[in-house]
Coordinates of all heavy atoms in Angstrom, one line a residue:
A304 N 102.6 97.7 120.2 CA 102.8 98.1 121.5 C 102.4 99.6 121.6 O 102.4 100.4 120.7 CB 104.2 97.9 121.9
G316 N 88.8 98.2 124.4 CA 87.4 98.5 124.7 C 86.5 98.4 123.4 O 85.3 98.3 123.7
P367 N 105.1 92.9 138.3 CA 105.3 91.5 137.8 C 103.8 90.9 137.5 O 102.9 91.1 138.1 CB 105.8 90.7 139.0 CG 105.6 91.7 140.2 CD 105.6 93.1 139.6
E375 N 95.3 81.4 129.4 CA 96.3 82.4 128.9 C 96.1 83.8 129.2 O 96.7 84.7 128.7 CB 96.5 82.2 127.4 CG 96.9 80.7 127.1 CD 97.0 80.6 125.6 OE1 96.9 81.5 124.8 OE2 97.2 79.3 125.2

Side-chain angles (χ1 to χ4, degrees):
E375 300 178 7

